[in-house]
Amino acid sequence: MCSADGPTGSPKWLYAAAMQPRLINQVRLPGIRHVAQATGLGWVVTEQDRFTVHLFDHELGRVARLAAPLDDPRMKVSATRRLVAAGDAHQIVVLGHDGLVRWRSSWDRLGGSADADFHLDGDHVLWIRLGDTEELVAVNGVSGAEIHRTPLPGPGAAWFLHAPEGVWTGLTLLDPDRSRAVLIRLDAERIVSRPLAGGGLAGFSPAGGRYLTQTLDGFLSVRDVASDAVVTARHLEDLPGAPPALAGCRHVDRAVFLSEELILAAPSTEGPPNDAEGHLLLSALSLRCRSQVRYPHHQGSGAVHPSYQPGRWLTRHHEDDRLRLWQLGARLDDEPMPGQLALL
């Protein structure tokens, strides 16, 4: 982990100090299976072996708990302030927060023959990537009416990310060797897409002007949304100020923007997310290691999930079945820790 004390003979400022975040809220939810951002709301969470969907707001307060009328509890979900979309291997169903079904469809009726990846955006457009037919479909999330579809060749698995300014939605086509990302939106009810550089899309800055990418072989890059120009790019083993122990990590389990200046990264071995070698705060301008995150508990760092509120993030811990919402320490936002240089 990052340490305030470098190796013998190394200046202490070369290695970042530790920052203890503030715990905002926590929720115990036995058997957490899947956590995702709910557009404009907070988070949507599912359980292992249950058809239950939980909705939480920005403060990790419970908004709703509803049952998805599906055949398989291993479902995928997406949500907004009004709607919840849930899908299994055979069908997709869209419900209101009251649990009432708005509409449902089999994947066959939508043109696919297997389960698909999907996302509800802020305009209640339901984006669906049909992996077997390699198509991207835009559906009216309220009515279920198809708006437009277009070919989108590539790997079968897809991952959607909502952009803060709401104009674009990010989409990564997940490939074991080399993922690729695109921006998608509707223009006069036609799908428009634009490729992004750098690999898999990890997230957008809070203002929406930059995006973060990561690759399976350990490269991180920050780029400009408008031009794709590289702001900074480094390999995981070449992060200035990073701890020597980072050399044992092979990839980044998750990296997310916390603010316009800071990125939270979870370097990991080949093990599960909870085996991550601690969480690091990186400069969004240079990928310099600013600090390690020192959590005030002993359950490990946990898996990271982004928040729509700058300076906050969610961790998931399977050991104690808890979701925890954290806030950045104010000191790091305003000035360097004592003994550190003000290097971004």
Side-chain angles (χ1 to χ4, degrees), residues 141-343:
V142 177
S143 68
E146 182 175 320
I147 302 170
H148 186 228
R149 69 173 60 206
T150 188
L152 187 61
W159 183 31
F160 292 88
L161 279 172
H162 178 68
E165 80 285 353
V167 176
W168 294 94
T169 292
L171 169 61
T172 295
L173 299 176
L174 299 168
D175 188 285
D177 297 317
R178 187 174 183 179
S179 299
R180 65 185 182 90
V182 296
L183 293 177
I184 56 175
R185 64 181 175 89
L186 285 177
D187 184 3
E189 299 196 334
R190 306 285 293 181
I191 296 174
V192 176
S193 65
R194 200 197 94 194
L196 294 176
L201 182 61
F204 295 93
S205 63
R210 290 172 291 161
Y211 67 93
L212 175 66
T213 66
Q214 61 184 83
T215 64
L216 290 177
D217 55 354
F219 283 93
L220 294 172
S221 72
V222 178
R223 297 169 185 261
D224 182 80
V225 170
S227 66
D228 283 337
V230 177
V231 176
T232 182
R234 293 185 184 275
H235 191 271
L236 182 61
E237 297 179 348
D238 188 35
L239 303 181
L246 195 64
C249 299
R250 292 292 175 262
H251 68 280
V252 175
D253 176 65
R254 191 72 186 270
V256 298
F257 271 98
L258 293 187
S259 68
E260 291 296 314
E261 295 80 27
L262 291 171
I263 289 168
L264 178 69
S268 181
T269 62
E270 295 301 324
N274 281 5
D275 286 344
E277 297 292 328
H279 295 162
L280 306 178
L281 288 176
L282 309 178
S283 164
L285 301 179
S286 67
L287 293 178
R288 171 180 294 276
C289 182
R290 293 284 311 275
S291 177
Q292 92 179 62
V293 180
R294 181 172 294 164
Y295 294 98
H297 56 75
H298 303 287
Q299 284 77 36
S301 300
V304 172
H305 299 277
S307 168
Y308 288 125
Q309 292 187 313
R312 291 187 174 186
W313 69 97
L314 200 68
T315 58
R316 180 180 82 246
H317 299 265
H318 291 293
E319 292 89 345
D320 59 1
D321 296 316
R322 290 187 186 273
L323 295 170
R324 292 182 171 95
L325 177 62
W326 303 96
Q327 171 74 49
L328 271 175
R331 181 194 299 273
L332 192 64
D333 288 344
D334 300 330
E335 60 186 9
M337 296 286 285
Q340 281 185 283
L341 291 184
L343 294 175

